[in-house]
Amino acid sequence: MKIVLADDHPVFVAGVRAYFDNVPDCGVVASVTSSDALIKCLDSTPCDLVITEFSMPMNRISDGLHLLSYIQRHYPQKWLMVLTMNAMPVVLHQLIQSGANALLHKSDEIPEISKAIRHLGNNTPYIGPSFRALLAQGIDPQAKSRIPSPRETEVLRLYAAGNTLREISERLSKSVKTVSLQKTAAMKKLGLRNDIELGRYYATVSGDNVQPPEHVGWFLSTDASDAVDVRH
């Protein structure tokens, strides 16, 4: 099996490449560090499987979810495996909907990659152990309308990561007003009433309770009236 790795963390790429050196019938034929480089690579490098992080530097394609959808549409013969640190349930659902054949957390044991490869070709995605509990119940059909769209999900993820609305608008080539509306819509669907709840939600599902110093008050205030969001 010919494999292309896409991740902007060299140590991670080196570790996965070294692992495949000892896996029979599998080999890494190329590695890239951005979504744009990945698309160029797929245009010129024959492969069977793409192992990628969905949150990488990008220009041609606006966000990681659209990257997966793009690969699914233009390279439907290639398998897609996503290895990520993001543990937001709504993002994980969107990754599956965007065409991922396997979904692993970067903290999973590395042999899980081989298990996922053996699972390729089944009608359901392979979910690594770190994500199984989060996704065990699947998506309630009546709740589908409450799942943010891929773009709303990306806006919320970028905002929760500390980007201002203006920074997000520049990154996605959208107006600040459009980005603000998408953020509001996503929070409403998730039942989040304010930025305090968004911060707590993101910290809970990602397992990341350590925030940058400048955001301590925004994430950790116990009283919504005490919080002031100065990132706009």
Side-chain angles (χ1 to χ4, degrees):
M1 177 174 285
K2 297 178 180 179
I3 300 167
V4 168
L5 296 179
D7 196 286
D8 56 335
H9 295 85
V11 172
F12 174 79
V13 171
V16 175
R17 183 186 285 273
Y19 171 73
F20 279 117
D21 286 343
N22 299 302
V23 177
D25 303 320
C26 289
V28 176
V29 295
S31 61
V32 297
T33 58
S34 70
S35 63
D36 302 303
L38 175 56
I39 296 303
K40 290 180 180 179
C41 179
L42 295 179
D43 285 337
S44 60
T45 307
C47 71
D48 306 299
L49 170 65
V50 177
I51 299 180
T52 182
E53 168 65 83
F54 85 102
S55 180
M56 294 187 295
M58 55 191 64
N59 182 35
R60 178 180 170 188
I61 297 178
S62 60
D63 61 66
L65 295 169
H66 284 83
L67 171 65
L68 297 187
S69 296
Y70 181 92
I71 294 174
Q72 184 186 47
R73 292 194 310 271
H74 292 84
Y75 311 95
Q77 74 280 12
K78 303 185 189 304
W79 303 113
L80 270 172
M81 183 185 303
V82 177
L83 274 70
T84 182
M85 292 292 291
N86 193 302
M88 293 182 73
V90 64
V91 173
L92 300 180
H93 284 304
Q94 292 287 6
L95 288 173
I96 294 172
Q97 293 174 353
S98 296
N101 302 106
L103 185 59
L104 301 176
H105 193 282
K106 286 183 176 178
S107 67
D108 287 333
E109 298 291 334
I110 199 164
E112 284 293 325
I113 296 177
S114 292
K115 292 181 183 179
I117 289 175
R118 291 194 296 269
H119 189 85
L120 296 177
N122 292 352
N123 292 327
T124 57
Y126 180 85
I127 309 298
S130 296
F131 289 145
R132 286 174 194 160
L134 286 173
L135 299 176
Q137 297 181 349
I139 303 175
D140 184 344
Q142 295 182 349
K144 284 186 176 181
S145 62
R146 298 196 297 273
I147 297 176
S149 69
R151 178 51 57 82
E152 291 169 348
T153 299
E154 184 68 0
V155 166
L156 202 63
R157 184 183 69 82
L158 290 171
Y159 188 83
N163 295 276
T164 66
L165 294 179
R166 184 168 300 280
E167 289 170 340
I168 298 171
S169 70
E170 292 173 353
R171 174 167 178 168
L172 302 181
S173 299
K174 299 292 182 181
S175 69
V176 174
K177 181 179 180 180
T178 296
V179 169
S180 178
L181 290 173
Q182 290 170 334
K183 169 183 172 284
T184 299
M187 291 180 63
K188 183 177 181 180
K189 290 176 181 179
L190 292 173
L192 303 174
R193 295 171 295 179
N194 51 52
D195 288 353
I196 299 293
E197 293 186 357
L198 169 59
R200 289 171 178 163
Y201 171 80
Y202 188 81
T204 298
V205 300
S206 66
D208 180 10
N209 290 305
V210 180
Q211 305 302 331
E214 65 270 25
H215 295 156
V216 168
W218 174 61
F219 277 99
L220 301 181
S221 173
T222 58
D223 185 346
S225 63
D226 293 337
V228 178
D229 184 0
V230 296
R231 297 177 301 147
H232 295 275

